[in-house]
Amino acid sequence: MTDTPKTPTRRAKKPAAGRQKKPAVAAETAQTAAMSHDSLTAAFARQLRYDLCWDDQNEEAMFDALALSVKEQLLDNWRNTRKQDLQQGKKHVAYLSLEFLMGRTLGNALLNMQLTQECRQLLQEYAVSLETLEQQEHDAGLGNGGLGRLAACFLDSCATLDLNVTGYGIRYEYGMFLQKIVDGYQVEQPDRWLRDGNPWEVRVPQHNVTVQFFGHTQSYVDSKGRRHMLWCDTQDVMAVAYDVPIPGYGNGRVNTLRLWKAEATNEFDLAEFNQGDYTEAVAAKNQAEQITMVLYPNDSSENGKELRLRQQYFLSSASLQDLLRQWVQQHGMDFSEFPRYNAIQLNDTHPAIAVPELMRLLVDVYELEWDAAWHIVSNCMAYTNHTLLPEALERWPVRMLAHMLPRILDIIYEINARYLDEVAHRWPGDVAKLRQMSIIEEGDEPAVRMAYLAIVASYSVNGVAALHTQLLTTGLFRDFHELWPAKFNNRTNGVTPRRWLAYCNPRLTALISSRLGDGWITELGRLSALNALSTDADFCREWRQVKQLNKQALAQLVQERCHVEFSPEMLFDVQVKRIHEYKRQLLNILHVIHLYQRILSGDTHGMQPRCVLIGGKAAPGYAMAKLIIKLANNVAHMINGDSRAKPWLRLAFLPDYNVSAMETICPGTDLSEQISTAGKEASGTGNMKFMMNGALTLGTLDGANIEMLEEVGEDNFFLFGLNAPAVDELRMHYRPWEYIAASEALSGVMSLLKSGYFNLQEPDIFAPIVAAIESPSDPWMLAADFESLRLAQLEVAKAYQDPQRWTTMSIHNTAASGRFSSDETIAGYRDHIWHCR
Ligand SMILES: *Cc1c(COP(=O)(O)O)cnc(C)c1O
């Protein structure tokens, strides 16, 4: 955007009150409505022959035809859902998230609509399998990792629990980068996931809204003597809505994920054009569209970039304008009941700028008094915290806000001033407390603490696992907890059992349903009935057969992607997740090196042959994480090329870990590694997907691992490592060299690493890794937990060598996973935060 001031000074227009509403369905032609009554089979035939008009019916065209036909089947229910929610005055929840890691849609949509069988039958006529067509779909990788996938699981559960919930997000042209591995290094490639179009989305231009940036503020007094603020000379961007249907499981509800795309406004072009800068004006279009061009690939860390703030405000403003417009259409300009019918859930602080934006819309645009507006904001905002890592806490420089969002900064100052009065009242004379708790952080570069802003405005603040919430209320947010204890609550994360068991593991699904019926798909607690079958000989044999077949499928994936041969007879030991030091993939690699040294020294007595799989993406700017990937690949190269290791050990690094890869990985895993430094992983959700699919967990007392252990019992869980208080205590006097000296295994590993054995052609590249492990300020304390991990892995080997024992443990894990259904989590949000039915 240029800095040239525009000729007409635009002011935020007051929307016409009580404008005649048009039925939302008006845009649908009668013809389309009639079509959606076709059966899936008829729709597919028509799509192929007439709508797509492809001469050559290849698999891509067939996927498109199928996806479009499935979407058609949803249209009536989608429309009816909207209509009924309005009629019934059902409370609406807006789930605001910068990330929705949806993965593929086809297979999951068919499952939820219970059309999978019909679909398989119709494809027989075309001599193509459903699986082949499913492979054609690009993952919608609009997220980094756990936080984005949680949003996706929540949408599935909300629809399945018949809740009126809309997901609001950004339609990034480029999602999460594609990861290639070249010479062992991560190479990022752009993910143009929309290149071939997206058959699931519907562009809905009637919901367009305008979002303002830059400009300046100005006050004026109206004819009644009331002071108003104007935000003028702004540069405006249009937000265009793209809707994606979210079908519930077998209940006919279809919710909406509304993704915003940034486009240039007409006025924007015109202003430039009038000055004769035609080409400038056209080029400026790109500036506007940049906002939704690319997802920031940082997981658990903020990067402070201006474009990221623009994305956050763009999403927040567009979504809130959309909500208020709908409200006014239905209820006119009286907002007093707004919080009774609306909740806004902030998925981390990424959309926390929605707090001052909702104030701005209510005060400046809809002309409410400050107190009335604040009453509304503070009774509908709810905030979910996802991390304690200091590098992830968002703080936007005041300077940046003053330039980009001047009116928003004014409002933040006003919120802060009023709130600090409350703090001063609670702690009279305590200036340090005021400074500590202020939304504005003072210093050389004053900044807005987005988490504080979110807490101050929200009626609910939740953590995502019991330990995480406890650490929040006693640590990071202690003062706030003291001030407003009732705001704080825990909602342990979950994952949807539709995608993460019923869809991704059809063999286990069939086995479970053959004994329990299929009620567990929506009431996962029913899986506890499997405990009674955990020693049933037939059932155990079938359970093992299923795992064996799933391991074959995973081995095939590893073969294709890594060119490493995994033998399904061996133990499959898996760690897939974003690469981060706190998740300690490095600790896993050290253990693999140790096993390799045992093999080289002939110490294979009691050793369990195993295949170790590591996968995950590193943030492109995170040098240490990228070096860990390189180490994993180099170690893999040495081990897999060594014939002495072949009967005992394989290591593979799986490139481009994403949702669709996980759908093959978790069903085929024996052992799930959840080995983060205690106190660092807020919850984890990968851990739950593995547990549901009958993997056993090797884990620390961190995040939701603790609750998983509680559910399944110590006998069915491989626990190791320091707990969170012990980690904190040790930090003061941590001497890693003592742990290394005391462990023959670890000193051996460190010597081999330092010898350059894994980097013969690349001297010293792993020096930073060695230094990190040996540093007394290593926050992740690898050396301290190594021995404990090694011993736990010996227990794993012993247990695996008793197939009956392992199978029983595996069944107990699936049986105990009911609490980690996101249906449970969402029922908690519904009853304790949203208060909706
Ligand atoms: C579940 C999932 C995650 C989260 O994994 P954690 O182990 O909880 O960090 C990340 N990425 C993908 C693709 C997932 O499916």
Side-chain angles (χ1 to χ4, degrees):
M1 268 161 248
T2 69
D3 290 319
T4 327
K6 236 81 24 46
T7 15
T9 298
R10 275 185 305 282
R11 51 182 63 176
K13 275 190 300 254
K14 188 181 160 186
R19 191 148 38 93
Q20 202 46 46
K21 59 184 169 192
K22 268 191 267 158
V25 296
E28 294 285 356
T29 64
Q31 198 185 10
T32 316
M35 280 174 185
S36 63
H37 292 295
D38 285 0
S39 69
L40 184 62
T41 309
F44 182 67
R46 178 173 41 72
Q47 283 288 351
L48 268 182
R49 287 182 61 187
Y50 301 115
D51 293 312
L52 290 173
C53 263
W54 285 61
D55 297 335
D56 180 13
Q57 284 171 13
N58 60 11
E59 285 158 1
E60 282 156 57
M62 291 177 90
F63 162 72
D64 264 344
L66 184 56
L68 291 168
S69 321
V70 171
K71 184 172 68 179
E72 263 183 40
Q73 306 301 302
L74 283 166
L75 290 177
D76 285 335
N77 282 341
W78 204 357
R79 193 173 15 241
N80 289 337
T81 300
R82 222 166 1 188
K83 209 157 72 185
Q84 279 179 17
D85 287 345
L86 282 176
Q87 276 167 4
Q88 295 170 7
K90 211 169 156 100
K91 185 167 183 177
H92 177 251
V93 178
Y95 193 84
L96 267 56
S97 179
L98 269 286
E99 302 187 18
F100 286 91
L101 189 50
M102 303 298 286
R104 290 173 175 154
T105 294
L106 177 60
N108 193 246
L110 287 170
L111 173 78
N112 281 14
M113 297 160 74
Q114 305 183 309
L115 284 174
T116 311
Q117 277 324 307
E118 184 179 341
C119 187
R120 281 189 198 288
Q121 267 168 24
L122 89 87
L123 290 178
Q124 277 177 7
E125 305 273 315
Y126 297 83
V128 66
S129 74
L130 177 56
E131 285 69 23
T132 303
L133 296 193
E134 286 183 68
Q135 300 295 326
Q136 300 301 313
E137 183 170 359
H138 298 283
D139 268 48
L142 308 184
N144 274 280
L147 176 149
R149 185 53 231 176
L150 184 76
C153 284
F154 278 7
L155 292 183
D156 183 77
S157 284
C158 288
T160 298
L161 292 182
D162 202 32
L163 302 181
N164 179 17
V165 175
T166 303
Y168 280 102
I170 290 182
R171 181 179 176 276
Y172 301 105
E173 300 287 325
Y174 294 86
M176 190 58 207
F177 66 80
L178 303 178
Q179 181 193 53
K180 296 273 148 64
I181 300 297
V182 178
D183 296 332
Y185 290 103
Q186 167 175 298
V187 173
E188 301 94 25
Q189 290 187 350
D191 165 38
R192 273 193 67 193
W193 71 293
L194 292 168
R195 182 164 28 209
D196 307 323
N198 175 5
W200 304 108
E201 69 184 13
V202 180
R203 186 180 159 106
V204 206
Q206 61 266 39
H207 296 300
N208 287 1
V209 294
T210 300
V211 179
Q212 300 170 280
F213 292 94
F214 305 105
H216 57 91
T217 61
Q218 201 178 295
S219 75
Y220 76 96
V221 178
D222 69 15
S223 57
K224 293 176 202 134
R226 191 171 172 253
R227 181 167 294 279
H228 299 264
M229 291 306 295
L230 282 181
W231 183 6
C232 34
D233 293 332
T234 54
Q235 296 180 27
D236 296 353
V237 177
M238 191 154 66
V240 181
Y242 284 75
D243 285 357
V244 180
I246 308 291
Y249 180 81
N251 64 0
R253 167 171 286 272
V254 182
N255 280 340
T256 300
L257 169 60
R258 178 159 292 172
L259 300 174
W260 297 106
K261 174 181 193 286
E263 293 188 4
T265 57
N266 293 333
E267 302 96 64
F268 188 95
D269 287 347
L270 200 61
E272 300 286 344
F273 187 65
N274 289 342
Q275 292 164 35
D277 291 334
Y278 169 73
T279 46
E280 292 294 306
V282 175
K285 241 180 135 64
N286 284 323
Q287 292 273 335
E289 299 190 351
Q290 250 183 32
I291 295 176
T292 53
M293 197 55 70
V294 60
L295 166 75
Y296 276 95
N298 309 303
D299 188 69
S300 303
S301 81
E302 52 113 34
N303 69 1
K305 290 277 166 55
E306 187 175 313
L307 181 59
R308 170 69 172 182
L309 178 59
R310 278 209 259 171
Q311 292 182 337
Q312 296 184 346
Y313 181 67
F314 176 78
L315 165 67
S316 302
S317 180
S319 309
L320 293 173
Q321 290 186 60
D322 194 47
L323 292 177
L324 293 182
R325 180 153 73 185
Q326 288 176 44
W327 177 266
V328 170
Q329 276 175 12
Q330 274 183 271
H331 301 89
M333 297 291 281
D334 181 358
F335 291 92
S336 53
E337 294 278 85
F338 187 82
R340 222 177 94 176
Y341 292 100
N342 287 278
I344 298 166
Q345 190 73 39
L346 306 174
N347 195 23
D348 212 319
T349 57
H350 312 153
I353 199 86
V355 167
E357 173 63 3
L358 185 52
M359 284 303 289
R360 185 189 72 82
L361 291 167
L362 292 174
V363 171
D364 293 359
V365 181
Y366 292 99
E367 303 192 328
L368 266 64
E369 297 296 336
W370 181 278
D371 289 335
W374 184 250
H375 179 81
I376 290 164
V377 171
S378 56
N379 281 286
C380 62
M381 290 285 174
Y383 157 55
T384 303
N385 173 281
H386 284 269
T387 178
L388 297 156
L389 299 179
E391 63 268 32
L393 298 175
E394 293 192 297
R395 295 180 346 259
W396 289 111
V398 164
R399 186 181 38 81
M400 197 187 283
L401 282 162
H403 177 60
M404 188 196 304
L405 304 169
R407 179 60 185 136
I408 293 297
L409 182 60
D410 286 350
I411 291 171
I412 293 172
Y413 279 139
E414 181 72 28
I415 292 172
N416 196 39
R418 290 166 182 250
Y419 143 72
L420 287 181
D421 280 349
E422 198 175 335
V423 176
H425 194 256
R426 174 72 171 70
W427 287 282
D430 193 341
V431 181
K433 190 69 87 183
L434 287 178
R435 189 171 311 120
Q436 223 171 281
M437 295 181 73
S438 173
I439 294 171
I440 309 293
E441 181 181 74
E442 290 161 28
D444 296 343
E445 175 77 87
V448 177
R449 295 158 162 157
M450 299 307 281
Y452 292 8
L453 178 61
I455 296 171
V456 168
S458 296
Y459 68 89
S460 163
V461 177
N462 75 283
V464 292
L467 173 69
H468 171 61
T469 302
Q470 186 216 316
L471 295 175
L472 273 183
T473 54
T474 57
L476 194 58
F477 298 156
R478 195 183 55 225
D479 292 335
F480 293 92
H481 182 245
E482 217 177 311
L483 185 59
W484 298 307
K487 283 192 187 189
F488 289 83
N489 64 100
N490 177 250
R491 306 262 72 89
T492 298
N493 283 166
V495 301
T496 170
R498 268 72 64 188
R499 183 177 296 263
W500 296 116
L501 185 50
Y503 169 66
C504 76
N505 199 342
R507 286 183 270 261
L508 199 61
T509 295
L511 174 58
I512 294 170
S513 295
S514 74
R515 303 301 205 278
L516 308 185
D518 63 6
W520 59 270
I521 296 174
T522 50
E523 277 178 72
L524 204 67
R526 293 201 195 181
L527 289 182
S528 63
L530 292 173
N531 284 325
L533 295 165
S534 70
T535 53
D536 175 305
D538 287 337
F539 188 73
C540 288
R541 186 172 33 75
E542 290 179 62
W543 191 271
R544 269 193 296 276
Q545 278 168 359
V546 165
K547 181 59 81 178
Q548 214 52 29
L549 291 169
N550 290 338
K551 287 172 75 172
Q552 282 173 20
L554 176 52
Q556 198 183 326
L557 183 79
V558 171
Q559 181 63 250
E560 286 163 12
R561 300 251 188 115
C562 319
H563 314 288
V564 175
E565 193 186 326
F566 270 20
S567 162
E569 303 313 310
M570 295 162 72
L571 169 77
F572 280 15
D573 172 344
V574 177
Q575 186 182 23
V576 288
K577 49 183 72 246
R578 287 301 291 256
I579 309 293
H580 203 295
E581 286 160 286
Y582 85 80
K583 293 178 181 278
R584 299 201 295 194
Q585 283 91 358
L586 184 52
L587 181 59
N588 184 359
I589 297 168
L590 296 184
H591 177 253
V592 172
I593 295 173
H594 161 66
L595 291 179
Y596 181 50
Q597 286 192 302
R598 277 184 62 190
I599 296 163
L600 295 187
S601 67
D603 173 23
T604 54
H605 179 73
M607 185 180 267
Q608 169 57 44
R610 71 172 84 200
C611 300
V612 180
L613 185 66
I614 298 177
K617 295 174 186 178
Y622 188 171
M624 186 58 94
K626 292 176 110 170
L627 194 57
I628 291 169
I629 292 176
K630 172 63 173 166
L631 178 64
N633 281 298
N634 280 24
V635 172
H637 185 75
M638 291 303 290
I639 291 176
N640 301 332
D642 188 333
S643 60
R644 295 166 295 180
K646 194 151 194 241
W648 300 106
L649 187 60
R650 320 276 164 86
L651 173 62
F653 184 90
L654 184 91
D656 206 43
Y657 171 59
N658 62 5
V659 170
S660 51
M662 186 55 157
E663 288 163 5
T664 304
I665 295 167
C666 63
T669 295
D670 294 309
L671 184 71
S672 151
E673 296 219 26
Q674 307 298 335
I675 61 177
S676 53
T677 311
K680 298 297 174 189
E681 186 75 270
S683 162
T685 49
N687 47 3
M688 301 166 183
K689 299 166 200 167
F690 285 112
M691 184 191 198
M692 251 174 222
N693 285 275
L696 276 61
T697 302
L698 170 69
T700 47
L701 284 172
D702 201 15
N705 291 354
I706 297 172
E707 291 156 76
M708 287 164 48
L709 169 61
E710 240 168 57
E711 292 294 307
V712 79
E714 298 229 12
D715 293 347
N716 299 299
F717 191 103
F718 300 100
L719 178 64
F720 79 99
L722 299 171
N723 64 16
V727 165
D728 260 357
E729 198 281 324
L730 182 57
R731 218 177 281 295
M732 328 280 198
H733 51 91
Y734 182 46
R735 287 185 287 271
W737 49 88
E738 291 180 357
Y739 291 94
I740 295 169
S743 161
E744 210 180 306
L746 184 53
S747 17
V749 170
M750 293 304 289
S751 304
L752 194 61
L753 248 184
K754 289 186 197 178
S755 76
Y757 184 86
F758 299 109
N759 49 312
L760 295 172
Q761 262 74 61
E762 306 153 297
D764 297 332
I765 57 167
F766 297 129
I769 286 182
V770 170
I773 299 168
E774 293 183 340
S775 164
S777 54
D778 171 21
W780 322 116
M781 304 201 161
L782 264 70
D785 274 349
F786 180 87
E787 265 307 292
S788 180
L789 172 97
R790 185 182 68 81
L791 294 173
Q793 282 282 27
L794 288 176
E795 293 304 313
V796 168
K798 215 163 82 187
Y800 193 77
Q801 285 164 10
D802 179 347
Q804 181 55 55
R805 178 174 166 213
W806 188 274
T807 304
T808 301
M809 291 170 82
S810 168
I811 294 169
H812 284 316
N813 269 270
T814 300
S817 68
R819 199 179 132 196
F820 306 103
S821 163
S822 46
D823 296 348
E824 283 294 307
T825 313
I826 287 299
Y829 278 84
R830 177 194 63 197
D831 297 342
H832 303 290
I833 301 180
W834 301 335
H835 305 291
C836 59
R837 271 278 145 199

